[in-house]
């Protein structure tokens, strides 16, 4: 009689474990995947993915604003103004890229003008200390080039010279 009771307990325990596995896997499937970032048709992508930093890619205005808020100490009001400028910059750049006729050299000065206009508008929002910090950040960005390592990171090791 004891072995029969042990068998029933073992069977019940196995059923409970099986039910727990089924319930946990079913609840894991209920969690929706994170949303994909929006991307316009044919927009360039850099190594950072859509909207990420890298060659040809442009960081999205939300991330750029957040980065500036953290590094420059922007107030909420300043961040809102900066974000509006960055959204406008992105809209103009995307319209220019969509309208291009394949002549990248002709597009370059127009993109530069859009960027300079944005810098001027952002500069007007910043305090003198923030302007100085922002100038340093831009200088670092220009030194490392597009798609380079973030400021403060160690550069990749250089390969040994070939004999």
């Amino acid at each position: 009689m004891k072995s029969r009771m042990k068998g029933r307990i073992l069977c019940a325990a196995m059923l409970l474990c099986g039910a727990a596995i089924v319930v946990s896997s079913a609840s894991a499937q209920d969690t929706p995947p994170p949303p994909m970032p929006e991307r316009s048709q044919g927009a360039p992508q850099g190594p950072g993915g859509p909207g990420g930093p890298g060659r040809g890619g442009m960081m999205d205005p939300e991330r750029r604003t957040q980065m500036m808020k953290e590094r420059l100490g922007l107030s909420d009001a300043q961040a809102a103004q900066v974000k509006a400028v960055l959204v406008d910059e992105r809209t103009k750049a995307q319209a220019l890229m969509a309208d291009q006729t394949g002549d990248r050299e002709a597009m370059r000065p127009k993109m530069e003008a859009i960027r300079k206009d944005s810098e001027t508008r952002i500069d007007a929002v910043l305090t003198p200390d923030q302007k100085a910090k922002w100038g340093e950040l831009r200088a670092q960005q220009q030194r490392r080039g597009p798609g380079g390592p973030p400021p403060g990171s160690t550069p990749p090791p250089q390969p040994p010279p070939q004999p």
Side-chain angles (χ1 to χ4, degrees):
M1 180 121 167
K2 277 190 173 183
S3 66
R4 196 171 200 187
M5 186 72 136
K6 282 183 183 179
R8 284 185 177 178
I9 291 174
L10 182 62
C11 185
M14 290 176 67
L15 281 172
L16 284 174
C17 287
I21 290 171
V22 169
V23 168
S24 66
S25 65
S27 67
Q29 291 178 0
D30 288 344
T31 306
M36 293 295 291
E38 288 187 29
R39 182 173 161 243
S40 66
Q41 191 74 12
Q45 274 192 45
R55 199 172 143 195
M58 196 180 221
M59 192 186 300
D60 73 282
E62 184 68 41
R63 286 180 56 202
R64 286 175 71 189
T65 303
Q66 188 61 38
M67 182 270 304
M68 289 180 73
K69 189 172 183 177
E70 290 168 2
R71 293 187 182 169
L72 302 179
L74 300 180
S75 68
D76 290 341
Q78 286 176 309
Q81 290 176 298
V82 166
K83 183 178 178 184
V85 171
L86 296 176
V87 166
D88 184 51
E89 176 188 51
R90 182 170 213 171
T91 302
K92 288 177 181 176
Q94 287 176 337
L96 183 62
M97 285 187 275
D99 190 35
Q100 69 178 317
T101 57
D103 187 1
R104 294 177 67 85
E105 289 303 313
M107 187 174 65
R108 191 178 308 258
K110 294 175 185 175
M111 290 294 276
E112 185 66 20
I114 291 170
R115 187 185 61 77
K116 284 187 186 260
D117 177 60
S118 296
E119 286 179 0
T120 302
R121 290 168 58 196
I122 290 171
D123 212 39
V125 172
L126 304 177
T127 66
D129 287 344
Q130 290 169 330
K131 286 179 190 179
K133 282 184 191 175
W134 193 44
E136 290 172 23
L137 289 172
R138 287 187 309 194
Q140 286 177 358
Q141 172 69 29
Q142 288 175 350
R143 279 195 300 271
R144 67 182 180 160
S153 69
T154 56
Q158 296 297 319
Q162 297 292 327

